[in-house]
Amino acid sequence: MAQVELKNIDVTFKQKHQSIKAVSDVSLSIEKGDIFGIVGYSGAGKSTLVRVVNRLQEPSSGEVIINGENIEKVSGSELRSVRRKIGIIFQHFNLMNARTIANNVEYPLLGTGVSKKDRKAKSERLLKLVGLYDKKDYYPSQLSGGQKQRVAIARALASDPEILISDEATSALDPKTTQSILRLLQKLNKDLNLTILLITHEMDAVKSVCNKVAVMDSGKVVEKGSLLSVFSNPQNDLTRDFIETTNQIKPALRVLSHQKDFVNYDDRRLVELQYTGDTTSNPVIIELFEKFNVTANIIFGNVEFIQGVPLGHLIVTLNGSDDGIKKAKDYLHDQEIQVYNIDLAKVREQEALEEKEEA
Ligand SMILES: Nc1ncnc2c1ncn2[C@@H]1O[C@H](COP(=O)(O)OP(=O)(O)OP(=O)(O)O)[C@@H](O)[C@H]1O
Ligand SMILES: [Mg+2]
């Protein structure tokens, strides 16, 4: 049973003169223990969608099922208990400046019948967990952005949630601090078996901690799957754009596209090879020579690990007879290595287009 099941969710905002469909027919299934990334540009509908999960936003249609229970009809104390299971953190920490760090963390427990002593013990335990115990008597203004986000995380954990929603929680942080917050989320996921919904426009964040990802565009989920399947075999152009931001292939192609040795290179002979997992160790390049008398010259290489599985990209030139190259490509294909012809004229066109857009 999925922990969170969204079925055919629509959210339409009706305004005076128009209505905006912020979320359109979204179905997602989030399992206990997932770190589920939802990535998309500004306005894609990410925040609206996750607000539906804890009923801060009513869906116009569709079903939200949490731990097997349809939460559409719940209200009052039942709704409060559903909401307690779901913590949320935001880009702008939303801490109370007049309260100490410890008091901020205790705040969600006020009025829930937990004694003062137990509240104090809990906030201290949570502050230890996020590495800020020594700052418990400080005020938010005395902390850095990364530290404030740690306080917000501790506060979100005060009601022992099963699910943590992180809505652009690292967007205001520098890359190093972002990494440390992501590592903390990963630790909480592992140690507390906390399910995490990570909303972001940074595919790098998704790549470093998520096990699943959904890509949103104009209210729709255009692609979803395990991290490895999406990174190794993206189906949608937008997904490819996001993946490109996380590796060095595009800049490498741009450099090549201006080098005189490559400017007019035959695009059937300049190719990108992509392989995953076991294929990595196959001495295929030697085989191409032995079997087809084709040499492959590596111009650029990049291997990364996606959920522990190697994903490799090589840009190579193939040299040999036309027939040999055709056979070599078929052979690579049979070895489950994907082969893409590189059209450097297109790379230059794309670059010119982007420069124009930026100007
Ligand atoms: N309360 C509202 N009333 C009217 N329109 C809204 C409301 N909330 C969101 N929208 C619209 O719904 C669309 C999706 O917004 P949403 O905030 O969910 O996007 P997002 O993906 O979270 O964007 P960002 O990355 O900028 O946070 C946008 O067009 C937005 O203007
Ligand atoms: Mg948002």
Side-chain angles (χ1 to χ4, degrees):
M1 179 180 72
Q3 186 166 35
V4 179
E5 186 89 48
L6 301 175
K7 287 190 180 164
N8 310 104
I9 300 291
D10 277 324
V11 179
T12 304
F13 293 110
K14 293 210 164 60
Q15 291 172 327
K16 253 191 216 147
H17 301 292
Q18 55 170 351
S19 63
I20 298 169
K21 198 158 194 183
V23 176
S24 180
D25 195 23
V26 169
S27 297
L28 288 180
S29 187
I30 296 152
E31 307 285 331
K32 179 138 193 69
D34 276 346
I35 305 186
F36 198 112
I38 299 180
V39 67
Y41 290 126
S42 187
K46 307 179 295 296
S47 295
T48 307
L49 180 68
V50 294
R51 286 163 60 83
V52 166
V53 175
N54 59 4
R55 282 269 308 268
L56 286 173
Q57 172 67 52
E58 295 289 336
S60 312
S61 63
E63 290 175 56
V64 183
I65 298 157
I66 296 181
N67 294 328
E69 185 191 5
N70 190 326
I71 64 161
E72 192 181 352
K73 299 259 151 35
V74 306
S75 59
S77 67
E78 234 187 322
L79 180 59
R80 277 195 296 280
S81 103
V82 168
R83 284 196 178 138
R84 263 199 297 279
K85 283 187 205 151
I86 305 170
I88 186 158
I89 55 174
F90 303 96
Q91 178 173 357
H92 302 295
F93 331 117
N94 303 359
L95 301 178
M96 288 171 288
N97 289 322
R99 289 173 184 265
T100 63
I101 299 313
N103 283 337
N104 267 280
V105 176
E106 276 180 48
Y107 190 76
L109 299 174
L110 295 179
T112 60
V114 181
S115 73
K116 193 172 174 195
K117 183 164 151 278
D118 289 348
R119 288 202 305 265
K120 183 164 181 276
K122 190 160 206 181
S123 86
E124 291 186 355
R125 182 171 61 77
L126 289 170
L127 284 170
K128 278 181 191 149
L129 189 65
V130 302
L132 277 184
Y133 178 71
D134 58 334
K135 301 272 192 290
K136 68 183 169 56
D137 297 322
Y138 283 44
Y139 287 87
S141 62
Q142 297 170 293
L143 301 188
S144 70
Q147 290 170 329
K148 283 182 196 164
Q149 195 57 281
R150 284 171 186 266
V151 176
I153 291 169
R155 181 186 55 187
L157 296 177
S159 47
D160 300 314
E162 295 174 18
I163 302 161
L164 180 69
I165 296 173
S166 165
D167 191 352
E168 304 279 2
T170 60
S171 295
L173 305 175
D174 64 63
K176 197 167 158 223
T177 312
T178 293
Q179 274 307 315
S180 84
I181 294 293
L182 292 174
R183 292 279 94 82
L184 173 61
L185 293 178
Q186 209 168 26
K187 179 178 107 166
L188 298 174
N189 166 258
K190 201 159 147 269
D191 295 355
L192 310 177
N193 199 15
L194 185 69
T195 305
I196 297 178
L197 256 172
L198 189 87
I199 316 311
T200 180
H201 55 260
E202 294 165 309
M203 193 61 147
D204 255 325
V206 170
K207 185 157 108 178
S208 67
V209 293
C210 295
N211 64 326
K212 292 181 190 156
V213 58
V215 181
M216 284 190 80
D217 185 19
S218 309
K220 295 193 182 67
V221 166
V222 295
E223 185 143 7
K224 61 184 169 186
S226 78
L227 194 69
L228 183 62
S229 69
V230 169
F231 268 78
S232 61
N233 197 12
Q235 301 297 311
N236 186 279
D237 282 344
L238 180 65
T239 313
R240 284 191 203 98
D241 285 351
F242 272 114
I243 291 173
E244 255 173 19
T245 65
T246 74
N247 62 39
Q248 292 303 310
I249 295 161
K250 193 170 165 183
L253 287 177
R254 291 214 164 152
V255 170
L256 284 187
S257 75
H258 294 288
Q259 283 183 355
K260 73 175 184 338
D261 288 349
F262 292 102
V263 165
N264 293 313
Y265 216 89
D266 179 346
D267 66 7
R268 283 163 305 158
R269 290 167 182 260
L270 181 66
V271 295
E272 181 183 331
L273 308 182
Q274 187 196 295
Y275 54 84
T276 46
D278 293 343
T279 322
T280 321
S281 53
N282 285 0
V284 282
I285 285 184
I286 295 170
E287 287 175 345
L288 294 187
F289 183 68
E290 287 173 354
K291 290 182 197 289
F292 313 109
N293 210 16
V294 167
T295 57
N297 198 0
I298 299 175
I299 310 293
F300 172 85
N302 181 59
V303 183
E304 57 194 343
F305 287 86
I306 306 287
Q307 294 185 281
V309 177
L311 174 63
H313 290 273
L314 297 178
I315 298 174
V316 302
T317 56
L318 298 174
N319 300 292
S321 68
D322 284 351
D323 185 52
I325 286 177
K326 191 180 168 303
K327 284 189 176 135
K329 284 182 177 174
D330 290 343
Y331 179 73
L332 288 167
H333 191 255
D334 291 343
Q335 305 299 306
E336 295 187 353
I337 295 176
Q338 294 174 54
V339 185
Y340 305 99
N341 293 343
I342 295 171
D343 183 346
L344 290 179
K346 268 223 180 82
V347 173
R348 283 191 297 272
E349 257 169 46
Q350 183 65 31
E351 184 180 28
L353 207 72
E354 280 174 27
E355 275 169 6
K356 215 166 144 190
E357 276 169 12
E358 278 159 22

